[in-house]
Amino acid sequence: MDLDFSEDEIRRYSRHILLQEVGGIGQAKLKAARVLVIGAGGLGSPLTLYLAAAGIGTIGIVDDDRVELSNLQRQIAHTTGRIGVPKAASAAEAALAINPEVRIEPHTVRLSADNAAGLIARYDIICDGTDNFATRFLVADACVLGRRTLVSAAVLRFDGQLSVFKPHLHEGGPCYRCLYPEPPPDGTVPTCSEAGVLGAVTGVMGTLQATEVLKEVLGVGESLSGRLLIWDALATRFRTVRLRRDPDCALCGQAATIKDLSQHRDVSAPVCAV
Ligand SMILES: [Zn+2]
């Protein structure tokens, strides 16, 4: 583990290094970590900013959209002055303005069956902050097949959900398809662009998502694998429910039938962040 921090880095991360659960060793783990953020939107904005501030050494950002005026009510990595700029580049600029010590890799591409496995293989932890089921299932499948930890957050209106899926590391831990075996039929579940979302709700959920990423990298606390966090902002109520692995899961079960990403080949999967 490379513990070679500059004077400035030691000062920058001093409130982390003070924590017994982090310390110099933990900060070195954060520096060595590679995290991929899929969707530089309402979830991806606070997520990317906190990961960069925390000193995650390499952060990839996948998004094929450009910043629009209607994004700015919640996507706080972007600015009015950057309307029209690719979101991955805009989020990279915001993250580097906070912490120039980290490396940001913007990928202005649409995630597809052809590039998902290769992109995901380059990172240790994958974060899903997208707003459509085509991309969510593609990411979930690619993470299980590529043996990568998936930290997945979702928001709609005043509600948020969060979980960690790492069946390759957690005996009995579920994958995303143990929870949702198949995408819902088109048009049955609205997206945020159809149903709306309170901006601050995405901020809380993206920040919780960042916290779970840091816990996974540091190996501290109780992992959210095997549990689903549900937040009802209108009622101000958090609850967690148990999730179990489905032994018959088509993706992670004993007789799994999903062996590659071919079922996603004909699906158009825009990153389309929340
Ligand atoms: Zn499964």
Side-chain angles (χ1 to χ4, degrees):
M1 188 69 58
D2 178 13
L3 281 174
D4 190 19
F5 289 108
S6 68
E7 286 293 318
D8 275 355
E9 283 178 297
I10 290 169
R11 207 168 306 131
R12 178 183 289 273
Y13 303 123
S14 60
R15 301 303 188 274
H16 270 172
I17 294 167
L18 279 170
L19 294 168
Q20 201 179 7
E21 292 82 354
V22 183
I25 303 273
Q27 195 61 49
K29 285 184 188 170
L30 298 178
K31 190 174 183 175
R34 300 179 56 88
V35 176
L36 183 64
V37 174
I38 303 176
L43 293 163
S45 288
L47 173 60
T48 302
L49 299 184
Y50 270 113
L51 294 181
I56 291 288
T58 307
I59 302 167
I61 307 170
V62 183
D63 204 308
D64 65 327
D65 264 347
R66 289 172 182 272
V67 178
E68 293 177 21
L69 185 56
S70 65
N71 299 151
L72 301 179
Q73 159 259 18
R74 65 201 176 284
Q75 301 184 10
I76 57 166
H78 311 306
T79 63
T80 306
R82 289 203 289 272
I83 288 172
V85 171
K87 282 190 187 177
S90 170
E93 189 177 332
L96 288 170
I98 291 173
N99 190 354
E101 310 271 5
V102 301
R103 184 184 157 83
I104 308 283
E105 301 175 338
H107 305 282
T108 302
V109 293
R110 179 171 283 217
L111 209 62
S112 71
D114 295 322
N115 66 16
L119 258 174
I120 281 171
R122 291 165 56 186
Y123 299 88
D124 312 314
I125 295 183
I126 315 303
C127 307
D128 189 344
T130 63
D131 194 24
N132 69 93
F133 286 101
T135 308
R136 283 193 174 268
F137 277 83
L138 171 59
V139 171
D141 290 357
C143 283
V144 169
L145 296 170
R147 301 174 62 80
R148 290 293 183 272
T149 297
L150 171 61
V151 182
S152 182
V155 290
L156 192 63
R157 300 191 184 101
F158 298 93
D159 299 310
Q161 292 191 358
L162 177 69
S163 193
V164 173
F165 301 101
K166 50 173 187 179
H168 59 295
L169 295 176
H170 176 193
E171 183 94 27
C175 79
Y176 184 78
R177 280 193 191 257
C178 293
L179 178 60
Y180 302 112
E182 291 288 335
D186 276 348
T188 53
V189 178
T191 64
C192 291
S193 61
E194 293 158 354
V197 62
L198 193 74
V201 169
T202 65
V204 169
M205 294 310 297
T207 304
L208 284 169
Q209 195 176 12
T211 308
E212 294 306 317
V213 170
L214 298 176
K215 282 170 57 188
E216 292 293 332
V217 172
L218 294 166
V220 299
E222 217 181 309
S223 172
L224 201 53
S225 173
R227 292 181 296 154
L228 177 70
L229 176 76
I230 300 168
W231 179 41
D232 175 346
L234 285 182
T236 317
R237 198 165 290 138
F238 282 94
R239 63 196 177 98
T240 38
V241 296
R242 280 261 157 235
L243 299 180
R244 289 185 201 288
R245 181 179 288 184
D246 173 5
D248 299 322
C249 175
L251 182 58
C252 76
Q254 292 284 351
T257 53
I258 300 170
K259 304 284 190 194
D260 56 39
L261 299 176
S262 55
Q263 67 167 267
H264 300 282
R265 207 156 292 282
D266 302 324
V267 179
S268 173
V271 169
C272 195
V274 171

